[in-house]
Amino acid sequence: MSDKILVTGTSVREELLKPLVEAGFVVENPTNLLSEDELAAALADKAGYLLGGDEFATAKALQGAKKLKIIAFLGMGYQSFIDADAADRCGIAVTNTPGTLSNAVAEFTIGLLLNSTRRIHQYALAYSEGNSGKEEKQRDLANLHVGIVGLGGIGTRIAEILRWGINCPVSYFSRTRKPAEEARLGLTYRPLDELSESVDVLIVMTPGNNETRGLIGRRQFDRFRPGLILINSARAEIIDPTALLDALLSGKLGYAAFDGFYEQAEIAAAAKLLIPTRLMITGHIASLTSDARDAMANRAVASIINMIKSGKDPYRVR
C-alpha cells in the first residue's frame, strides 16, 4: 500500500503536488481549516504532512500519528504552527522553506513603510470621500534613520532595498551580529535599547516564538523618539499590545503598520478606531505572491520525498 501524504491549506497548486504522486504517494488535500480532532484523524495513517494551512499541530494531534515521518512547514516560523517539542518526542522530523519568501515579504514590508511615511492609505481614503486638501507634509524616507529588529534572510533583503534603493541610514539588532553584512551594506549594529532610542522608523522582522513574545515592550516604547513609525511584518505578539495602543493613543507613535494583528477582541476593537489615521493592518499576506508560494511548495514537496525516501533533507530544522 502506498504511503499517504496530508497537504493542508489552499495555497499549493495541484500541479506542484505531482512529484509526490510520481514518487508513489497518495495525496489528500482537504481545503477546510482542520480542528485539532480532525487533524489527529487525518494524520493517523499519514507518512508525510505538508502544513500549508492555519491549523496548529498540537501534541494531541501528533501523538496518534504513528506512521508520520515528516512535517514540511510551508514558510519559516514553524514554531507558531507546530508543537515542536511534541514532534521531537514522537520522532517526527520538521522542515521549513528558508529563502523562498524573502523577496515577497521584504517588498511588502517596504510597501507598508512607504504607506506609513507618506500616509498613502489615509490620504487616498480622504480623496475618495471628498476630503482632500487637508494633507500634511511628511518626511522623505531617504532622510529617516531606519532600525531593523532581526537580520535574517528577510531582514537582510529589507536592508538591501533601503540601503541600495533608497540610500537611508540603517541600523539593526539581531540575536547574532552580522559583521559581513555590516561591511557589505554599511549597517550599524546597536543593542535593542540603543536601537529603540536612535531611529525614526523601527521594522520588526524577527521570528515569533516564546523567546520573542513581548520583545518590544514598554521599556522600548519609553525610549522611542516622538513620532516614531513602527512596522511589523512578523508576528504581532512580538510587540506588547498594551504598550502599542498607549503609544498610539498618546501620540508617542506617529504611525504603525501590521501584517497580521492580535487575536484579543478588546485589542482589535480599540485598534480599529485608529485606522487609517494612526494605524494600518493587513491580514498576514506579506508572502502572498504566486512566486513565493510556488517556491515554498516546491521545496516542501522535495523535503517530504527526501525525508521519507532517505531520512535526510538540507532544510530539516528539528
Side-chain angles (χ1 to χ4, degrees), residues 279-290:
L279 177 66
M280 182 180 186
I281 303 170
T282 53
H284 203 66
I285 57 172
S287 67
L288 193 58
T289 69
S290 57

Side-chain angles (χ1 to χ4, degrees), residues 37-178:
D37 288 340
E38 289 171 333
L39 180 60
L43 289 174
D45 62 346
K46 301 300 185 297
Y49 171 23
L50 196 162
L51 201 170
D54 290 327
E55 72 276 5
F56 186 83
T58 63
K60 178 182 176 181
L62 297 179
Q63 63 188 10
K66 303 302 183 183
K67 296 181 179 180
L68 191 62
K69 298 179 181 178
I70 173 177
I71 304 173
F73 178 69
L74 204 66
M76 284 293 292
Y78 66 92
Q79 301 96 328
S80 298
F81 292 85
I82 302 169
D83 185 330
D85 290 337
D88 288 344
R89 291 193 299 271
C90 295
I92 302 167
V94 177
T95 65
N96 65 357
T97 59
T100 54
L101 48 73
S102 295
N103 205 63
V105 176
E107 288 179 355
F108 191 88
T109 303
I110 295 297
L112 292 181
L113 175 56
L114 289 170
N115 173 77
S116 301
T117 55
R118 300 298 296 271
R119 306 295 197 272
I120 297 170
H121 180 214
Q122 176 186 346
Y123 292 154
L125 286 176
Y127 180 83
S128 70
E129 295 167 355
N131 293 323
S132 60
K134 301 176 183 179
E135 297 86 351
E136 298 177 350
K137 293 178 181 177
Q138 305 300 330
R139 297 279 307 279
D140 286 1
L141 180 53
N143 292 325
L144 299 179
H145 185 179
V146 179
I148 301 174
V149 179
L151 204 70
I154 301 172
T156 299
R157 181 64 184 132
I158 292 170
E160 289 174 346
I161 296 170
L162 291 173
R163 292 294 297 130
W164 293 341
I166 300 173
N167 197 34
C168 57
V170 177
S171 298
Y172 79 98
F173 166 76
S174 190
R175 218 172 24 170
T176 304
R177 189 166 176 175
K178 310 291 178 64

